[in-house]
Amino acid sequence: MNIAIIGYGRMGKTIERIAQTRGHHIVHIHNGGPMDLEALKAADVAIEFTQPEAAAENIAALLTHGIPVVSGTTGWLEHKASMDALAEQHKVGFLHASNFSLGVNLFFVMNEKLAAMMHAYPEFKPGIHEIHHTGKKDAPSGTAITAAEGVLQAYKELKGWTMNEDDQALRITADRLDPYFGTHEVHYTSDIDTITFTHEAKSRDGFALGAVMAAEWLPGKAGSFGMRDVLNL
Ligand SMILES: NC(=O)c1ccc[n+]([C@@H]2O[C@H](COP(=O)([O-])OP(=O)(O)OC[C@H]3O[C@@H](n4cnc5c(N)ncnc54)[C@H](OP(=O)(O)O)[C@@H]3O)[C@@H](O)[C@H]2O)c1
């Protein structure tokens, strides 16, 4: 398959390596500046891992020109609904995931089941903690937000998530430390003990492999998708 890489940073370089080991060709790399839409015509699919302020513009340009997009950039989701609409309008595939690794997607499913069980025990209060490397620009992570949304499906009395102290909402805390590729912990704390449920990434390879698998799956499909569609979870 011919792949274009949009964003040639830590993730873009890892995706290039993993895609090549799976026999794909990297036909174009875009790392800022004006997009070369002529060169992008050679791509069956584009994989976009850039920065929160760049993602929506990149994705909109690609979808408008009929190029399927796999995007992993986090911190820009206020524009996601308009990207979903563009994918529908242009009958092209768009797949965004806050986290592409198989392990984290299993963690998301287990997190929802655990929250449904724990909600019956009000002495335990839920909370989320995430740790990433110091180069990460957004906080909390997109993965922590997805985990929070999973908890909130069971804890409907809470008013969304917050990074502040607020008993009425689900608290997310974040640390930026090196070297951390992404650690996410959902904890349930009572006055006498704490239960923790954790996913810890050991490298970026799991994210990159999931993104390449999504790129193999997406071409030929129209509309907006997530990693649960790819993994059939
Ligand atoms: N979904 C997942 O599984 C997952 C996993 C890991 C990371 N992420 C997310 O993926 C994103 C990228 O992470 P990273 O660690 O690779 O960041 P990074 O190392 O900072 O790489 C981002 C790259 O995008 C480039 N860039 C900036 N503006 C651009 C534009 N308008 N068009 C194209 N490229 C542009 C940057 O170039 P300059 O350096 O020259 O500005 C940089 O090379 C972040 O949002 C991160 O949270 C998601």
Side-chain angles (χ1 to χ4, degrees):
M1 218 170 55
N2 288 339
I3 297 178
I5 290 183
I6 315 297
Y8 198 51
R10 288 172 287 249
M11 280 305 298
K13 288 176 183 138
T14 313
I15 287 162
E16 177 183 43
R17 174 170 56 78
I18 300 270
Q20 285 169 340
T21 61
R22 289 172 74 86
H24 301 305
H25 305 286
I26 307 303
V27 290
H28 187 63
I29 294 175
H30 173 69
N31 196 50
M35 211 173 242
D36 184 348
L37 288 158
E38 200 50 41
L40 279 159
K41 280 187 188 159
D44 300 309
V45 60
I47 305 183
E48 200 267 358
F49 280 72
T50 60
Q51 299 293 353
E53 58 281 3
E57 195 180 328
N58 283 334
I59 295 164
L62 292 159
L63 292 177
T64 306
H65 286 83
I67 300 165
V69 184
V70 170
S71 168
T73 308
T74 55
W76 64 278
L77 288 189
E78 64 275 22
H79 304 297
K80 167 99 172 21
S82 25
M83 300 304 119
D84 293 344
L86 270 184
E88 291 290 342
Q89 185 190 337
H90 292 276
K91 306 223 173 325
V92 60
F94 170 52
L95 191 151
H96 179 268
S98 63
N99 197 305
F100 279 91
S101 87
L102 171 62
V104 159
N105 282 280
L106 292 171
F107 173 85
F108 286 153
V109 174
M110 289 187 265
N111 172 50
E112 289 170 17
K113 292 185 194 297
L114 182 61
M117 189 193 118
M118 291 305 293
H119 188 251
Y121 303 93
E123 58 271 47
F124 285 96
K125 305 286 178 223
I128 293 179
H129 183 60
E130 58 103 335
I131 315 174
H132 280 83
H133 56 88
T134 54
K136 182 167 176 61
K137 299 209 168 141
D138 53 318
S141 68
T143 304
I145 294 171
T146 306
E149 287 165 350
V151 171
L152 289 166
Q153 282 177 26
Y155 287 78
K156 295 201 189 310
E157 68 279 16
L158 293 177
K159 296 186 182 76
W161 59 266
T162 178
M163 295 199 76
N164 302 317
E165 276 187 48
D166 179 354
D167 284 348
Q168 307 298 309
L170 177 65
R171 178 111 189 256
I172 306 180
T173 50
D175 275 333
R176 294 290 171 259
L177 303 168
D178 292 317
Y180 272 87
F181 297 104
T183 293
H184 293 89
E185 174 189 292
V186 181
H187 50 83
Y188 292 87
T189 304
S190 77
D191 288 342
I192 49 174
D193 53 5
T194 301
I195 300 169
T196 54
F197 175 53
T198 307
H199 178 274
E200 187 176 348
K202 296 181 182 175
S203 74
R204 293 187 177 87
D205 284 14
F207 311 134
L209 175 61
V212 174
M213 285 168 60
E216 291 166 355
W217 180 90
L218 188 63
K221 298 188 174 64
S224 181
F225 302 93
M227 221 30 205
R228 286 193 193 199
D229 299 308
V230 179
L231 297 171
N232 218 3
L233 287 172

